Amino acid sequence: MTVHSQGAMTAAPQDAPHKPAGRPEETASPTAGPGPTSPRGGRRSLPSGWLPYLLVAPAVLALATLLLYPLIKNVILSFQDINKIEFIQRKYPFAGFSNYTQLIGDADFWTVVARSFAFTAANVALIMVLGSLIGILLNRLGKKMRLVLSMALVMAWAMPIVASVQVFKWLFDEQFGVMNWVMRSAGFAGYEQHNWMQTGLSTLTIVTVLVVWGSIPFVALNMYAGLTTVGAELYEAARMDGANGWQTFWKIVFPNLRPFFLITTFLEVIWVFKAFTQVYAMNKGGPDRASEILPVFAYVEGQSQAHYGLAAAISVLTILILVVVMSFYFRLILKQEEEQ
């Protein structure tokens, strides 16, 4: 044993524990950094910034194929003078703005525009009022009756449009209609084979009943869902202050559900404004094209009259009119979001 100064002792080198003796220990190079980590299989992953775009790409591609491409083709078609002869001969002469100037100078076009706005305003007002009232009723009913009414609303909402149109045509049928029987049973004269669709106004009135009937469930169910988010303490405070039902609605319900009313009204305006199936399937825009709204007007001009370029111009103007009208509504929605 060798004794060093300051009481230090040196011991013989020993092997590290849990390692076999005599096996040289691997030492890392001092200049070598940490090795790169790679995913399984040795493939490199895509940059994280591209992942959202890759996830959205299929939806964007589908929208571009189904919506953007037909829209561009329709805009191009609106600048061409294509009728039946040109369509058969596969000739596509450029017409410039002649289709648009013809429409702007056509009194029938502006009559259809005014009719479309009146039809949309009447339907949206009835849908929002009646749907809101039924939504409030759902909130007041008991569990069993709420379930029954909700199922009835869902079945009305899920009914195909063409099937519902056929039911309404039978209800208002001239010879076997239920409405004529009801009016006669109530003592009204002149309802023996009464034609409920003899004028454009009466036809659009029946279509309005159909559209309102099919759209109320959406508003009612969403209204009920919104009412469940309003705290019961607010209603209790309103009752303690002596507020009646009307005051409770305007002071409690409406301020809390204002975003619901804005978005739902916005959606209903779009859906009603483009209500093609109900109007065309009911009476094909008749009698004498007196019940046509803009989508039906474009279809009749394009398919029945074979004025394809003119019909494309009608559809483009319809989109522009709807965009202009909705721009004011968009500003209202954005202002509401900023206030919140």
Side-chain angles (χ1 to χ4, degrees):
M1 179 177 68
T2 307
V3 180
H4 297 275
S5 61
Q6 300 177 358
M9 295 179 60
T10 58
Q14 297 179 354
D15 293 328
H18 305 293
K19 290 185 179 181
R23 186 172 179 179
E25 185 176 359
E26 294 180 359
T27 58
S29 174
T31 59
T37 58
S38 60
R40 298 176 182 176
R43 293 177 295 180
R44 292 184 178 181
S45 61
L46 291 172
S48 59
W50 286 95
L51 183 59
Y53 299 99
L54 292 177
L55 295 176
V56 176
V60 173
L61 182 61
L63 288 175
T65 304
L66 299 176
L67 297 178
L68 184 60
Y69 176 74
L71 179 61
I72 294 174
K73 293 291 291 184
N74 188 68
V75 173
I76 295 174
L77 180 61
S78 67
F79 291 101
Q80 297 173 336
D81 186 16
I82 301 178
N83 298 312
K84 186 178 293 184
I85 297 176
E86 289 80 8
F87 184 77
I88 295 174
Q89 295 178 350
R90 296 182 178 275
K91 295 180 180 179
Y92 311 106
F94 182 74
F97 290 92
S98 62
N99 291 324
Y100 293 96
T101 55
Q102 179 181 347
L103 286 173
I104 293 175
D106 188 3
D108 293 336
F109 171 73
W110 293 110
T111 301
V112 174
V113 171
R115 186 186 299 136
S116 301
F117 276 103
F119 175 77
T120 302
N123 277 272
V124 172
L126 289 172
I127 290 168
M128 293 303 300
V129 171
L130 297 177
S132 299
L133 291 175
I134 296 177
I136 295 173
L137 178 62
L138 283 171
N139 193 44
R140 299 286 184 88
L141 289 176
K143 190 174 294 185
K144 293 183 179 179
M145 290 303 300
R146 183 188 302 136
L147 178 62
V148 172
L149 182 55
S150 299
M151 291 178 62
L153 291 171
V154 170
M155 286 189 290
W157 191 18
M159 188 171 183
I161 296 177
V162 176
S164 61
V165 169
Q166 294 302 317
V167 171
F168 271 73
K169 290 176 71 173
W170 170 69
L171 290 174
F172 292 92
D173 185 71
E174 183 176 351
Q175 185 173 2
F176 304 105
V178 175
M179 289 304 301
N180 281 336
W181 174 80
V182 170
M183 299 301 289
R184 290 195 305 267
S185 300
F188 292 95
Y191 287 93
E192 293 81 8
Q193 297 186 358
H194 174 71
N195 184 9
W196 290 87
M197 301 183 190
Q198 60 184 353
T199 64
L201 180 60
S202 60
T203 302
L204 284 179
T205 302
I206 297 173
V207 175
T208 297
V209 175
L210 170 62
V211 173
V212 171
W213 172 81
S215 301
I216 279 178
F218 174 77
V219 178
L221 294 174
N222 280 280
M223 179 69 177
Y224 167 66
L227 288 172
T228 58
T229 64
V230 180
E233 65 275 4
L234 297 177
Y235 295 109
E236 184 66 27
R239 283 193 295 268
M240 292 180 64
D241 292 337
N244 55 28
W246 185 253
Q247 293 172 335
T248 302
F249 176 80
W250 283 111
K251 298 297 183 180
I252 302 298
V253 176
F254 186 78
N256 284 277
L257 298 184
R258 184 175 296 176
F260 156 77
F261 286 107
L262 290 175
I263 296 299
T264 306
T265 305
F266 170 74
L267 293 175
E268 291 296 337
V269 168
I270 295 177
W271 289 339
V272 174
F273 197 81
K274 63 183 185 65
F276 167 81
T277 308
Q278 294 92 332
V279 178
Y280 188 79
M282 186 66 71
N283 202 17
K284 296 184 178 180
D288 298 328
R289 307 185 67 174
S291 64
E292 289 181 351
I293 58 176
L294 280 171
V296 180
F297 184 58
Y299 179 83
V300 171
E301 286 293 331
Q303 297 299 321
S304 300
Q305 306 296 326
H307 300 155
Y308 302 107
L310 190 64
I314 295 171
S315 63
V316 172
L317 288 177
T318 301
I319 296 173
L320 292 178
I321 291 172
L322 191 59
V323 168
V324 171
V325 173
M326 288 294 98
S327 63
F328 297 99
Y329 207 75
F330 272 125
R331 292 176 60 185
L332 186 61
I333 293 176
L334 293 175
K335 183 179 179 181
Q336 176 68 25
E337 292 180 353
E338 290 176 358
E339 292 178 355
Q340 293 180 349

